[in-house]
Amino acid sequence: MVIWEKIIIGLFFVLCVVLYVRNHSSGYYVIEKTYKLPTIQRIISNKAKEYNVDEVLMYAIIDYESNWDVNASNPKSSSKQLAGFIRSTNEWIGEEVLGYEIEHGNVPVEVQIDILAKYLQYLKQKYNGDVRKTLREYCEEPTYYERVMQRYK
């Protein structure tokens, strides 16, 4: 093997190590990658079926909260990522619904969608399927229900 081939292999290995895995306090290992919309939609579809929640409602919430940006952040609040959870909601969901701590704003896409689906399932059960009450608790913003429902098609 020629020296330049060893150098390229070594650089490739270092790049893989740097980009491949980052350990989070939630215990998940994140593979840093770009998510394409069809991949996110497939994950949403699977989670909606798994938790028996409205897939289109999940789309509407994500569209409103983050415009499909997996790293979205609202500078006016602590709202982060696809579902736009604020820090206190994220902590509560982690403790009460999931049973483990969530590192706010640093959650893999699959887990973000899992959290959203589980939270919607919890709210659906709490409010006997009433979407208006579910969305009122999801966000206390007075026009939230109307704005999300505009995207609900």
Side-chain angles (χ1 to χ4, degrees), residues 17 24-25 30 48 53 57 67 75 89-90 100 107 111-112 122 142 152:
V17 169
H24 292 284
S25 64
V30 179
V53 295
L57 182 60
N67 197 28
T89 302
N90 218 27
Y100 57 83
V107 180
V111 179
Q112 291 179 44
Y122 166 81
Y152 185 80

Side-chain angles (χ1 to χ4, degrees), residues 5-51:
E5 290 175 329
K6 290 180 181 178
I7 292 171
I8 290 174
I9 291 171
L11 289 173
F12 179 76
F13 177 77
V14 170
L15 179 64
C16 287
V17 169
V18 169
L19 296 178
Y20 187 68
V21 177
R22 186 173 69 198
N23 188 1
H24 292 284
S25 64
S26 63
Y28 286 94
Y29 290 91
V30 179
I31 298 173
E32 296 297 330
K33 62 181 177 181
T34 302
Y35 285 85
K36 296 190 175 169
L37 190 55
T39 302
I40 295 172
Q41 289 172 325
R42 183 178 36 77
I43 297 168
I44 291 169
S45 180
N46 291 339
K47 291 299 177 182
K49 288 174 187 151
E50 181 180 342
Y51 295 107

Side-chain angles (χ1 to χ4, degrees), residues 53 57 61 116 119-140 144-145:
V53 295
L57 182 60
I61 290 170
L116 173 60
Y119 189 48
L120 287 177
Q121 178 191 48
Y122 166 81
L123 294 174
K124 178 182 173 183
Q125 290 171 348
K126 180 176 179 179
Y127 294 113
N128 296 317
D130 187 321
V131 175
R132 181 177 292 275
K133 288 180 181 177
T134 294
L135 290 176
R136 292 253 190 261
E137 182 161 329
Y138 191 93
C139 179
E140 295 174 355
Y144 187 78
Y145 174 80

